[in-house]
């Protein structure tokens, strides 16, 4: 009897672990899951820098959609930015950008021995624009970011840091074989991760 209970408990744990990542047919949920699992992403802008003007320019930024843990976050990618950063200077000329986040930065892909380019190592591409958050949203952005990136609180005050968010207009999900899946922002924000 004890062995049967132990076997049932182990089976339950395995099923729970397998269910932790959304299924491929749950593209909106997968997008929310991947964003919440990631602490940083690659932000691509159109460069405003001399010699690169109008060309794509990608840079790494810390981000958060909410405190870590199973609550799932808000789905809104928040960033902590300064005008001194070259990508932010690009955004001041053209706020349009794309943001890529990937499970490659989590233990998931390493555990399964998935190369970052393997579709099973899910990645999400968000397209939209970067906007400064208003005063009513600043506390939410601060809690989301500082809970994951506590070092940010000690960054130099004279750099005039500000909270911003990625305003999502398009979402592409690559989490399985067969090509990209398109998710609307409405679908994305309506699911529970």
């Amino acid at each position: 009897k004890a062995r049967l209970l132990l076997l049932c408990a182990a089976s339950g744990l395995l099923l729970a672990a397998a269910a932790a990542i959304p299924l491929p047919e749950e593209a909106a949920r997968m997008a929310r899951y991947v964003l919440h699992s990631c602490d940083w992403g690659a932000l691509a802008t159109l460069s405003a820098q001399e010699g690169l003007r109008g060309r794509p320019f990608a840079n790494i930024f810390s981000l958060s959609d909410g405190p870590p843990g199973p609550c799932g976050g808000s789905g809104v990618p928040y960033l902590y930015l300064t005008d001194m950063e070259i990508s932010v200077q690009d955004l001041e000329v053209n706020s349009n950008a794309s943001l890529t986040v990937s499970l490659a930065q989590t233990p998931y892909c390493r555990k399964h021995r998935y190369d970052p380019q393997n579709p099973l190592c899910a990645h999400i591409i968000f397209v939209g624009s970067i906007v400064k958050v208003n005063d009513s949203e600043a506390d939410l952005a601060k809690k989301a970011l500082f809970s994951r990136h506590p070092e940010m609180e000690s960054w130099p005050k004279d750099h005039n840091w500000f909270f911003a968010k990625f305003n999502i207009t398009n979402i592409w999900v690559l989490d399985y074989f067969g090509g990209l899946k398109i998710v609307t922002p409405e679908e994305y924000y309506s699911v529970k991760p």
Side-chain angles (χ1 to χ4, degrees):
K1 233 182 191 181
R3 277 184 142 172
L4 183 58
L5 285 174
L6 186 60
L7 184 61
C8 287
S11 297
L13 287 173
L14 286 173
L15 284 173
I21 188 167
L23 298 171
E25 54 271 12
E26 298 178 295
R29 184 167 279 114
M30 180 64 81
R32 292 283 302 268
Y33 175 85
V34 173
L35 178 68
H36 187 66
S37 299
C38 293
D39 290 331
W40 55 270
L43 184 75
T45 59
L46 288 177
S47 182
Q49 306 302 314
E50 196 61 44
L52 294 177
R53 192 162 287 133
R55 295 173 130 181
F57 187 84
N59 207 343
I60 299 299
F61 284 91
S62 299
L63 56 83
S64 176
D65 78 331
C71 296
S74 66
V76 176
Y78 289 109
L79 303 103
Y80 197 41
L81 304 175
T82 173
D83 293 331
M84 297 172 81
E85 213 290 323
I86 55 176
S87 295
V88 176
Q89 294 167 16
D90 296 343
L91 293 166
E92 289 170 348
V93 174
N94 182 343
S95 65
N96 292 314
S98 67
L99 173 68
T100 300
V101 291
S102 170
L103 287 182
Q105 68 174 274
T106 71
Y108 178 80
C109 295
R110 285 186 297 276
K111 176 183 167 193
H112 291 89
R113 296 178 173 237
Y114 294 149
D115 185 87
Q117 205 169 325
N118 182 330
L120 298 176
C121 184
H123 74 268
I124 315 303
I125 303 165
F126 297 99
V127 175
S129 60
I130 300 288
V131 295
K132 287 184 179 181
V133 299
N134 58 34
D135 291 341
S136 64
E137 199 173 1
D139 283 340
L140 182 61
K142 181 178 182 178
K143 182 180 178 187
L145 284 159
F146 289 6
S147 63
R148 287 183 184 240
H149 308 282
E151 176 188 324
M152 287 179 169
E153 285 190 85
S154 65
W155 288 356
K157 301 296 181 213
D158 64 352
H159 283 39
N160 297 317
W161 297 95
F162 61 91
F163 295 103
K165 66 180 176 180
F166 195 94
N167 185 28
I168 300 168
T169 57
N170 303 82
I171 304 163
W172 285 276
V173 175
L174 185 60
D175 65 346
Y176 201 71
F177 303 102
L180 290 164
K181 300 169 195 162
I182 296 173
V183 173
T184 67
E186 294 77 21
E187 293 167 327
Y188 174 78
Y189 285 115
S190 69
V191 298
K192 293 280 186 206

